[in-house]
Amino acid sequence: MKKIIGWAVAIYVLYCVGMAWYLFSFADTSIPPEWKGTSADPATFLTPREQLLSEQYSQLKNFLFFVSVPYDWLVYFGVLGLGVSKVLQTCATRATKLFVLQVALYVFWLSLIVMALTLPLDFVSYRISRAYDISTQPVSSWLRDELIDFFVNYVLTFFIVTVLYGLIRRFEKRWWLYAWGLSVPFTIFFMFIQPVVIDPLYNDFYPLKDKALEAKILTLAQEAHIPAKHVFEVNMSEKTNALNAYVTGIGSHSRIVLWDTTLKRLQEDEVLFIMAHEMGHYVMKHVYWGVAGYIVLTFFGLLVANWLMKWVIARWGAHLRIKKMRDIASLPLFLLIISLLNFSVSPLVNAVSRYEEHAADKYAIELTGDTEAAVSSFQKLTKAGLSQVNPPYIVKLFRYTHPTILERIVFLQHVQSSKSQ
């Protein structure tokens, strides 16, 4: 097993070298010749230094993403292969006979180990954002968010693992089906409480301070037949210089949220376009479609995870120190498989998201009719976040939930052309 882990580390290192070569030397991020000199060309709205910083920052962040995902897999595999998971299970069972407390102890120790091993990469990502002036967050504030992340994830993981392994122990063959059935109301409940319970742990949310702007946004919402009473503002300027707005939650707890950085750096007509875009998500019920899609993927994910776990344990269980699936020591294997499945379907999930974002762009243009504000808002989003206008294809495939800035501005130029004809 130590040799296998050694080979896994060697393959990971080679993968990192190959990915670095692809992202930093091989990938072509230039603008197609037909769009040179247009509003889609970063040379028309970014200074030469901003173009250089944008390229460097995007390359570094993309590289970190592609090395951190398999690094997580390596951590889970190492915890299993080196017998750490088995030791944690033994310690938990010796400490208490109650299954719930065994899970609580095991999940806590495993979470600490994973956090300790992954925190350095997270810190590097944070330092890069600070170095390129994207993040304005002090180290103390960043550590506070990491600590909140740890305990929020711990509570959720403890609850899920307790239910999951309780079902595996009682229904060895059909546990995945019952787990999926329970995940449906849990997913809906979590989406319902996230805007009012989870999100406020990280930032302060309050009704939009600019009442004149809020009145215009609510008038726009009326035209779209949206029964909105408030637009929410969040104080992100203490953490970042990037711009954003989003729609979150379901039912009566749905919220349209604007970052205060967006309000400070965009003109009123640009903010109205961004709001119209978010209203498009609401009108076309993208949040509900997202929840439905997640429920469907969870069904197939648990089905495949059940099959893979049984197969792996039957073939390599002795090497991984796992006797049965019901052993809590098998949790890293479950997490590894789920992570692999999530990564494998991410191109499909991202493609659906990009389709919805494009539909929201179209809706916003139909509602506001202001293509100039739309173009300038996308340009300012690029400038604030140092985003690549035309990222490498593999980056778009695995990372982009929105169309690229090139695609969005080109679409707007086609709209402008059709209007002028």
Side-chain angles (χ1 to χ4, degrees), residues 133-305:
D133 204 29
I134 300 299
S135 174
T136 59
Q137 192 174 18
V139 175
S140 58
S141 175
W142 179 80
L143 287 173
R144 174 182 172 275
D145 283 354
E146 290 292 311
L147 201 60
I148 292 173
D149 271 345
F150 175 82
F151 282 107
V152 168
N153 290 333
Y154 169 69
V155 171
L156 290 175
T157 304
F158 162 69
F159 174 76
I160 292 169
V161 171
T162 301
V163 173
L164 194 67
Y165 277 80
L167 291 172
I168 291 174
R169 289 179 168 217
R170 190 166 182 180
F171 310 102
E172 190 174 348
K173 292 183 178 179
R174 299 289 182 101
W175 68 267
W176 63 271
L177 184 60
Y178 297 124
W180 175 76
L182 289 174
S183 75
V184 175
F186 175 77
T187 299
I188 296 171
F189 176 71
F190 187 78
M191 288 293 294
F192 191 77
I193 67 167
Q194 181 184 342
V196 293
V197 177
I198 306 297
D199 291 347
L201 293 174
Y202 298 90
N203 299 98
D204 295 326
F205 290 78
Y206 35 81
L208 189 61
K209 293 176 182 177
D210 188 338
K211 295 305 175 185
L213 178 59
E214 185 179 43
K216 292 180 181 179
I217 293 173
L218 292 178
T219 299
L220 207 61
Q222 260 187 337
E223 292 177 23
H225 306 291
I226 299 173
K229 295 181 179 180
H230 296 289
V231 177
F232 286 88
E233 182 180 341
V234 55
N235 63 328
M236 289 300 296
S237 56
E238 63 182 24
K239 295 183 178 181
T240 183
N241 284 319
L243 315 181
N244 197 15
Y246 60 90
V247 58
T248 185
I250 58 175
S252 60
H253 285 189
S254 295
R255 285 184 174 184
I256 296 176
V257 180
L258 268 167
W259 286 11
D260 61 343
T261 51
T262 304
L263 292 166
K264 291 173 184 176
R265 300 184 60 173
L266 295 189
Q267 300 296 320
E268 186 177 279
D269 56 349
E270 295 165 342
V271 172
L272 289 174
F273 169 78
I274 296 294
M275 284 290 91
H277 172 97
E278 298 305 327
M279 290 172 192
H281 287 304
Y282 182 94
V283 170
M284 291 179 277
K285 295 179 170 51
H286 288 162
V287 173
Y288 295 94
W289 282 111
V291 171
Y294 178 80
I295 290 171
V296 171
L297 286 176
T298 301
F299 175 85
F300 289 104
L302 288 171
L303 173 63
V304 174

Side-chain angles (χ1 to χ4, degrees), residues 65 74 86 149 162 192 216 224 279 301 312 325 381 406:
F65 168 80
L74 198 61
K86 182 63 177 179
D149 271 345
T162 301
F192 191 77
K216 292 180 181 179
M279 290 172 192
V312 170
M325 191 194 302
L381 284 169
L406 176 66

